[in-house]
Amino acid sequence: MRFGPRALGRRLGGVVVAMLLALGPAVVATAPAAEAYTPSLATKAAYQARVIQQINVVRWRYGRGGLRSTYCPTWYAARWAGYLARTGAFYHQSLYPILRACRANVAAENLARGYPNADRVVAAWMASPGHRANILDRRLTRIGVAAVYGRGGWVVAADFTRS
């Protein structure tokens, strides 16, 4: 009979296996999977407020008036950002319902996905001619911004209107 560390390990391993077999079916427990990141409501609100603040800073720098955050475009932005985050889709919504429901005569929309913070979102929009035009459009006076954390990071929708 051998008494080395390997022999002892084999014997102990055999005893453990025999005990498990005698006890019947075993439940295998594993460590819980890491929770997906879910930002707090305060984090989400701060992200959205920072997008609006940065857009207004840019508008003031270019001699445009600031935009007012109002309920109607915010509701449409929140609905759309939630849909995009949930489905993984990424395209603009129809602006006709926004024009009608918000009693607006001009509407525009900017979308972003995957940017870690509001400053980068606004910088990316300013680097894109179409998004930049929306931000600097003198006709627009109201804004609604929604940021939802989804599969690909933050999804941001900004809906602009003029009443």
Side-chain angles (χ1 to χ4, degrees):
M1 187 183 226
R2 297 187 182 197
F3 293 101
R6 284 187 181 168
L8 183 60
R10 279 193 296 268
R11 277 194 204 121
L12 286 176
V15 170
V16 170
V17 169
M19 288 177 62
L20 288 174
L21 289 173
L23 294 174
V27 175
V28 177
T30 61
E35 291 293 320
Y37 173 67
T38 304
S40 68
L41 291 177
T43 300
K44 183 177 168 180
Y47 194 109
Q48 294 167 170
R50 181 72 178 177
V51 168
I52 295 169
Q53 177 190 19
Q54 290 302 101
I55 286 172
N56 280 333
V57 164
V58 168
R59 285 179 61 90
W60 291 323
R61 190 177 304 139
Y62 284 87
R64 276 50 164 194
L67 300 173
R68 256 181 330 116
S69 177
T70 59
Y71 174 79
C72 190
T74 300
W75 186 86
Y76 279 94
R79 185 178 140 276
W80 195 244
Y83 170 78
L84 296 176
R86 192 173 53 256
T87 63
F90 197 70
Y91 57 93
H92 290 282
Q93 65 183 312
S94 171
L95 297 178
Y96 294 114
I98 297 173
L99 287 167
R100 192 172 47 255
C102 298
R103 295 186 179 135
N105 52 23
V106 178
E109 179 173 70
N110 285 0
L111 300 176
R113 168 177 277 145
Y115 292 94
N117 60 54
D119 294 359
R120 288 214 181 147
V121 168
V122 175
W125 284 341
M126 289 304 291
S128 163
H131 296 103
R132 177 187 181 96
N134 289 342
I135 290 172
L136 297 178
D137 190 333
R138 291 181 189 275
R139 300 172 300 165
L140 300 171
T141 58
R142 299 181 299 181
I143 189 171
V145 172
V148 177
Y149 197 84
R151 297 178 212 173
W154 288 99
V155 175
V156 182
D159 288 329
F160 306 86
T161 63
R162 180 181 110 193
S163 54

mmCIF file with all atom_site columns, all heavy atoms in Angstrom, residues 136-152:
data_model
loop_
_atom_site.group_PDB
_atom_site.id
_atom_site.type_symbol
_atom_site.label_atom_id
_atom_site.label_alt_id
_atom_site.label_comp_id
_atom_site.label_asym_id
_atom_site.label_entity_id
_atom_site.label_seq_id
_atom_site.pdbx_PDB_ins_code
_atom_site.Cartn_x
_atom_site.Cartn_y
_atom_site.Cartn_z
_atom_site.occupancy
_atom_site.B_iso_or_equiv
_atom_site.pdbx_formal_charge
_atom_site.auth_seq_id
_atom_site.auth_comp_id
_atom_site.auth_asym_id
_atom_site.auth_atom_id
_atom_site.pdbx_PDB_model_num
ATOM 1   N N   . LEU A 1 136 ? -28.263 72.973 -34.419 1.00 0.00 ? 136 LEU A N   1
ATOM 2   C CA  . LEU A 1 136 ? -28.094 74.411 -34.651 1.00 0.00 ? 136 LEU A CA  1
ATOM 3   C C   . LEU A 1 136 ? -29.277 75.075 -35.362 1.00 0.00 ? 136 LEU A C   1
ATOM 4   O O   . LEU A 1 136 ? -29.233 76.283 -35.607 1.00 0.00 ? 136 LEU A O   1
ATOM 5   C CB  . LEU A 1 136 ? -26.802 74.655 -35.447 1.00 0.00 ? 136 LEU A CB  1
ATOM 6   C CG  . LEU A 1 136 ? -25.509 74.225 -34.746 1.00 0.00 ? 136 LEU A CG  1
ATOM 7   C CD1 . LEU A 1 136 ? -24.313 74.464 -35.649 1.00 0.00 ? 136 LEU A CD1 1
ATOM 8   C CD2 . LEU A 1 136 ? -25.347 74.948 -33.418 1.00 0.00 ? 136 LEU A CD2 1
ATOM 9   N N   . ASP A 1 137 ? -30.319 74.330 -35.665 1.00 0.00 ? 137 ASP A N   1
ATOM 10  C CA  . ASP A 1 137 ? -31.488 74.878 -36.366 1.00 0.00 ? 137 ASP A CA  1
ATOM 11  C C   . ASP A 1 137 ? -32.159 75.951 -35.510 1.00 0.00 ? 137 ASP A C   1
ATOM 12  O O   . ASP A 1 137 ? -32.649 75.689 -34.419 1.00 0.00 ? 137 ASP A O   1
ATOM 13  C CB  . ASP A 1 137 ? -32.471 73.754 -36.675 1.00 0.00 ? 137 ASP A CB  1
ATOM 14  C CG  . ASP A 1 137 ? -33.591 74.180 -37.613 1.00 0.00 ? 137 ASP A CG  1
ATOM 15  O OD1 . ASP A 1 137 ? -33.945 75.385 -37.647 1.00 0.00 ? 137 ASP A OD1 1
ATOM 16  O OD2 . ASP A 1 137 ? -34.124 73.296 -38.303 1.00 0.00 ? 137 ASP A OD2 1
ATOM 17  N N   . ARG A 1 138 ? -32.182 77.191 -36.019 1.00 0.00 ? 138 ARG A N   1
ATOM 18  C CA  . ARG A 1 138 ? -32.753 78.325 -35.277 1.00 0.00 ? 138 ARG A CA  1
ATOM 19  C C   . ARG A 1 138 ? -34.254 78.170 -35.052 1.00 0.00 ? 138 ARG A C   1
ATOM 20  O O   . ARG A 1 138 ? -34.795 78.753 -34.126 1.00 0.00 ? 138 ARG A O   1
ATOM 21  C CB  . ARG A 1 138 ? -32.501 79.627 -36.035 1.00 0.00 ? 138 ARG A CB  1
ATOM 22  C CG  . ARG A 1 138 ? -31.081 80.063 -36.068 1.00 0.00 ? 138 ARG A CG  1
ATOM 23  C CD  . ARG A 1 138 ? -30.952 81.391 -36.822 1.00 0.00 ? 138 ARG A CD  1
ATOM 24  N NE  . ARG A 1 138 ? -29.575 81.741 -37.058 1.00 0.00 ? 138 ARG A NE  1
ATOM 25  C CZ  . ARG A 1 138 ? -28.809 82.380 -36.189 1.00 0.00 ? 138 ARG A CZ  1
ATOM 26  N NH1 . ARG A 1 138 ? -29.288 82.724 -35.029 1.00 0.00 ? 138 ARG A NH1 1
ATOM 27  N NH2 . ARG A 1 138 ? -27.563 82.662 -36.488 1.00 0.00 ? 138 ARG A NH2 1
ATOM 28  N N   . ARG A 1 139 ? -34.917 77.396 -35.900 1.00 0.00 ? 139 ARG A N   1
ATOM 29  C CA  . ARG A 1 139 ? -36.366 77.240 -35.770 1.00 0.00 ? 139 ARG A CA  1
ATOM 30  C C   . ARG A 1 139 ? -36.768 76.403 -34.569 1.00 0.00 ? 139 ARG A C   1
ATOM 31  O O   . ARG A 1 139 ? -37.878 76.527 -34.063 1.00 0.00 ? 139 ARG A O   1
ATOM 32  C CB  . ARG A 1 139 ? -36.946 76.606 -37.042 1.00 0.00 ? 139 ARG A CB  1
ATOM 33  C CG  . ARG A 1 139 ? -36.708 77.414 -38.301 1.00 0.00 ? 139 ARG A CG  1
ATOM 34  C CD  . ARG A 1 139 ? -37.124 76.639 -39.520 1.00 0.00 ? 139 ARG A CD  1
ATOM 35  N NE  . ARG A 1 139 ? -36.355 75.389 -39.614 1.00 0.00 ? 139 ARG A NE  1
ATOM 36  C CZ  . ARG A 1 139 ? -36.665 74.361 -40.385 1.00 0.00 ? 139 ARG A CZ  1
ATOM 37  N NH1 . ARG A 1 139 ? -37.744 74.407 -41.142 1.00 0.00 ? 139 ARG A NH1 1
ATOM 38  N NH2 . ARG A 1 139 ? -35.915 73.280 -40.414 1.00 0.00 ? 139 ARG A NH2 1
ATOM 39  N N   . LEU A 1 140 ? -35.900 75.534 -34.108 1.00 0.00 ? 140 LEU A N   1
ATOM 40  C CA  . LEU A 1 140 ? -36.239 74.609 -33.026 1.00 0.00 ? 140 LEU A CA  1
ATOM 41  C C   . LEU A 1 140 ? -36.114 75.293 -31.664 1.00 0.00 ? 140 LEU A C   1
ATOM 42  O O   . LEU A 1 140 ? -35.140 75.999 -31.403 1.00 0.00 ? 140 LEU A O   1
ATOM 43  C CB  . LEU A 1 140 ? -35.342 73.379 -33.097 1.00 0.00 ? 140 LEU A CB  1
ATOM 44  C CG  . LEU A 1 140 ? -35.468 72.604 -34.418 1.00 0.00 ? 140 LEU A CG  1
ATOM 45  C CD1 . LEU A 1 140 ? -34.407 71.533 -34.524 1.00 0.00 ? 140 LEU A CD1 1
ATOM 46  C CD2 . LEU A 1 140 ? -36.850 72.008 -34.555 1.00 0.00 ? 140 LEU A CD2 1
ATOM 47  N N   . THR A 1 141 ? -37.117 75.077 -30.807 1.00 0.00 ? 141 THR A N   1
ATOM 48  C CA  . THR A 1 141 ? -37.147 75.743 -29.500 1.00 0.00 ? 141 THR A CA  1
ATOM 49  C C   . THR A 1 141 ? -37.317 74.771 -28.327 1.00 0.00 ? 141 THR A C   1
ATOM 50  O O   . THR A 1 141 ? -37.077 75.140 -27.186 1.00 0.00 ? 141 THR A O   1
ATOM 51  C CB  . THR A 1 141 ? -38.289 76.770 -29.438 1.00 0.00 ? 141 THR A CB  1
ATOM 52  O OG1 . THR A 1 141 ? -39.529 76.097 -29.688 1.00 0.00 ? 141 THR A OG1 1
ATOM 53  C CG2 . THR A 1 141 ? -38.085 77.880 -30.465 1.00 0.00 ? 141 THR A CG2 1
ATOM 54  N N   . ARG A 1 142 ? -37.786 73.570 -28.603 1.00 0.00 ? 142 ARG A N   1
ATOM 55  C CA  . ARG A 1 142 ? -38.051 72.598 -27.531 1.00 0.00 ? 142 ARG A CA  1
ATOM 56  C C   . ARG A 1 142 ? -37.267 71.319 -27.791 1.00 0.00 ? 142 ARG A C   1
ATOM 57  O O   . ARG A 1 142 ? -36.980 70.982 -28.943 1.00 0.00 ? 142 ARG A O   1
ATOM 58  C CB  . ARG A 1 142 ? -39.541 72.270 -27.452 1.00 0.00 ? 142 ARG A CB  1
ATOM 59  C CG  . ARG A 1 142 ? -40.412 73.471 -27.144 1.00 0.00 ? 142 ARG A CG  1
ATOM 60  C CD  . ARG A 1 142 ? -41.868 73.100 -27.055 1.00 0.00 ? 142 ARG A CD  1
ATOM 61  N NE  . ARG A 1 142 ? -42.355 72.553 -28.321 1.00 0.00 ? 142 ARG A NE  1
ATOM 62  C CZ  . ARG A 1 142 ? -43.603 72.155 -28.527 1.00 0.00 ? 142 ARG A CZ  1
ATOM 63  N NH1 . ARG A 1 142 ? -44.491 72.242 -27.568 1.00 0.00 ? 142 ARG A NH1 1
ATOM 64  N NH2 . ARG A 1 142 ? -43.970 71.676 -29.690 1.00 0.00 ? 142 ARG A NH2 1
ATOM 65  N N   . ILE A 1 143 ? -36.983 70.608 -26.717 1.00 0.00 ? 143 ILE A N   1
ATOM 66  C CA  . ILE A 1 143 ? -36.233 69.355 -26.839 1.00 0.00 ? 143 ILE A CA  1
ATOM 67  C C   . ILE A 1 143 ? -36.754 68.341 -25.829 1.00 0.00 ? 143 ILE A C   1
ATOM 68  O O   . ILE A 1 143 ? -37.229 68.706 -24.747 1.00 0.00 ? 143 ILE A O   1
ATOM 69  C CB  . ILE A 1 143 ? -34.713 69.575 -26.623 1.00 0.00 ? 143 ILE A CB  1
ATOM 70  C CG1 . ILE A 1 143 ? -33.921 68.312 -26.968 1.00 0.00 ? 143 ILE A CG1 1
ATOM 71  C CG2 . ILE A 1 143 ? -34.423 70.056 -25.205 1.00 0.00 ? 143 ILE A CG2 1
ATOM 72  C CD1 . ILE A 1 143 ? -32.408 68.519 -26.999 1.00 0.00 ? 143 ILE A CD1 1
ATOM 73  N N   . GLY A 1 144 ? -36.674 67.088 -26.207 1.00 0.00 ? 144 GLY A N   1
ATOM 74  C CA  . GLY A 1 144 ? -36.921 65.980 -25.296 1.00 0.00 ? 144 GLY A CA  1
ATOM 75  C C   . GLY A 1 144 ? -35.804 64.982 -25.495 1.00 0.00 ? 144 GLY A C   1
ATOM 76  O O   . GLY A 1 144 ? -35.491 64.621 -26.632 1.00 0.00 ? 144 GLY A O   1
ATOM 77  N N   . VAL A 1 145 ? -35.162 64.572 -24.426 1.00 0.00 ? 145 VAL A N   1
ATOM 78  C CA  . VAL A 1 145 ? -34.044 63.637 -24.517 1.00 0.00 ? 145 VAL A CA  1
ATOM 79  C C   . VAL A 1 145 ? -34.329 62.441 -23.617 1.00 0.00 ? 145 VAL A C   1
ATOM 80  O O   . VAL A 1 145 ? -34.782 62.604 -22.486 1.00 0.00 ? 145 VAL A O   1
ATOM 81  C CB  . VAL A 1 145 ? -32.713 64.297 -24.096 1.00 0.00 ? 145 VAL A CB  1
ATOM 82  C CG1 . VAL A 1 145 ? -31.596 63.266 -24.010 1.00 0.00 ? 145 VAL A CG1 1
ATOM 83  C CG2 . VAL A 1 145 ? -32.339 65.402 -25.062 1.00 0.00 ? 145 VAL A CG2 1
ATOM 84  N N   . ALA A 1 146 ? -34.059 61.264 -24.139 1.00 0.00 ? 146 ALA A N   1
ATOM 85  C CA  . ALA A 1 146 ? -34.171 60.040 -23.353 1.00 0.00 ? 146 ALA A CA  1
ATOM 86  C C   . ALA A 1 146 ? -32.922 59.210 -23.574 1.00 0.00 ? 146 ALA A C   1
ATOM 87  O O   . ALA A 1 146 ? -32.437 59.087 -24.704 1.00 0.00 ? 146 ALA A O   1
ATOM 88  C CB  . ALA A 1 146 ? -35.404 59.245 -23.753 1.00 0.00 ? 146 ALA A CB  1
ATOM 89  N N   . ALA A 1 147 ? -32.396 58.657 -22.486 1.00 0.00 ? 147 ALA A N   1
ATOM 90  C CA  . ALA A 1 147 ? -31.239 57.770 -22.545 1.00 0.00 ? 147 ALA A CA  1
ATOM 91  C C   . ALA A 1 147 ? -31.626 56.471 -21.849 1.00 0.00 ? 147 ALA A C   1
ATOM 92  O O   . ALA A 1 147 ? -32.083 56.484 -20.708 1.00 0.00 ? 147 ALA A O   1
ATOM 93  C CB  . ALA A 1 147 ? -30.038 58.408 -21.855 1.00 0.00 ? 147 ALA A CB  1
ATOM 94  N N   . VAL A 1 148 ? -31.481 55.376 -22.574 1.00 0.00 ? 148 VAL A N   1
ATOM 95  C CA  . VAL A 1 148 ? -31.824 54.056 -22.038 1.00 0.00 ? 148 VAL A CA  1
ATOM 96  C C   . VAL A 1 148 ? -30.600 53.167 -22.210 1.00 0.00 ? 148 VAL A C   1
ATOM 97  O O   . VAL A 1 148 ? -30.000 53.133 -23.283 1.00 0.00 ? 148 VAL A O   1
ATOM 98  C CB  . VAL A 1 148 ? -33.035 53.447 -22.787 1.00 0.00 ? 148 VAL A CB  1
ATOM 99  C CG1 . VAL A 1 148 ? -33.337 52.049 -22.284 1.00 0.00 ? 148 VAL A CG1 1
ATOM 100 C CG2 . VAL A 1 148 ? -34.247 54.355 -22.662 1.00 0.00 ? 148 VAL A CG2 1
ATOM 101 N N   . TYR A 1 149 ? -30.256 52.450 -21.146 1.00 0.00 ? 149 TYR A N   1
ATOM 102 C CA  . TYR A 1 149 ? -29.114 51.545 -21.232 1.00 0.00 ? 149 TYR A CA  1
ATOM 103 C C   . TYR A 1 149 ? -29.594 50.193 -21.725 1.00 0.00 ? 149 TYR A C   1
ATOM 104 O O   . TYR A 1 149 ? -30.470 49.580 -21.129 1.00 0.00 ? 149 TYR A O   1
ATOM 105 C CB  . TYR A 1 149 ? -28.413 51.408 -19.873 1.00 0.00 ? 149 TYR A CB  1
ATOM 106 C CG  . TYR A 1 149 ? -27.037 50.838 -20.005 1.00 0.00 ? 149 TYR A CG  1
ATOM 107 C CD1 . TYR A 1 149 ? -25.959 51.654 -20.315 1.00 0.00 ? 149 TYR A CD1 1
ATOM 108 C CD2 . TYR A 1 149 ? -26.812 49.479 -19.860 1.00 0.00 ? 149 TYR A CD2 1
ATOM 109 C CE1 . TYR A 1 149 ? -24.688 51.133 -20.461 1.00 0.00 ? 149 TYR A CE1 1
ATOM 110 C CE2 . TYR A 1 149 ? -25.547 48.950 -20.007 1.00 0.00 ? 149 TYR A CE2 1
ATOM 111 C CZ  . TYR A 1 149 ? -24.490 49.790 -20.310 1.00 0.00 ? 149 TYR A CZ  1
ATOM 112 O OH  . TYR A 1 149 ? -23.230 49.266 -20.471 1.00 0.00 ? 149 TYR A OH  1
ATOM 113 N N   . GLY A 1 150 ? -29.052 49.753 -22.859 1.00 0.00 ? 150 GLY A N   1
ATOM 114 C CA  . GLY A 1 150 ? -29.473 48.491 -23.463 1.00 0.00 ? 150 GLY A CA  1
ATOM 115 C C   . GLY A 1 150 ? -28.297 47.601 -23.794 1.00 0.00 ? 150 GLY A C   1
ATOM 116 O O   . GLY A 1 150 ? -27.204 47.770 -23.267 1.00 0.00 ? 150 GLY A O   1
ATOM 117 N N   . ARG A 1 151 ? -28.517 46.674 -24.712 1.00 0.00 ? 151 ARG A N   1
ATOM 118 C CA  . ARG A 1 151 ? -27.501 45.679 -25.103 1.00 0.00 ? 151 ARG A CA  1
ATOM 119 C C   . ARG A 1 151 ? -26.181 46.294 -25.551 1.00 0.00 ? 151 ARG A C   1
ATOM 120 O O   . ARG A 1 151 ? -25.133 45.833 -25.200 1.00 0.00 ? 151 ARG A O   1
ATOM 121 C CB  . ARG A 1 151 ? -28.021 44.833 -26.249 1.00 0.00 ? 151 ARG A CB  1
ATOM 122 C CG  . ARG A 1 151 ? -29.222 44.028 -25.931 1.00 0.00 ? 151 ARG A CG  1
ATOM 123 C CD  . ARG A 1 151 ? -29.660 43.275 -27.152 1.00 0.00 ? 151 ARG A CD  1
ATOM 124 N NE  . ARG A 1 151 ? -31.096 43.136 -27.137 1.00 0.00 ? 151 ARG A NE  1
ATOM 125 C CZ  . ARG A 1 151 ? -31.791 42.659 -28.111 1.00 0.00 ? 151 ARG A CZ  1
ATOM 126 N NH1 . ARG A 1 151 ? -31.206 42.262 -29.207 1.00 0.00 ? 151 ARG A NH1 1
ATOM 127 N NH2 . ARG A 1 151 ? -33.093 42.563 -28.016 1.00 0.00 ? 151 ARG A NH2 1
ATOM 128 N N   . GLY A 1 152 ? -26.260 47.318 -26.374 1.00 0.00 ? 152 GLY A N   1
ATOM 129 C CA  . GLY A 1 152 ? -25.049 47.925 -26.928 1.00 0.00 ? 152 GLY A CA  1
ATOM 130 C C   . GLY A 1 152 ? -24.612 49.162 -26.173 1.00 0.00 ? 152 GLY A C   1
ATOM 131 O O   . GLY A 1 152 ? -23.927 50.008 -26.723 1.00 0.00 ? 152 GLY A O   1
#
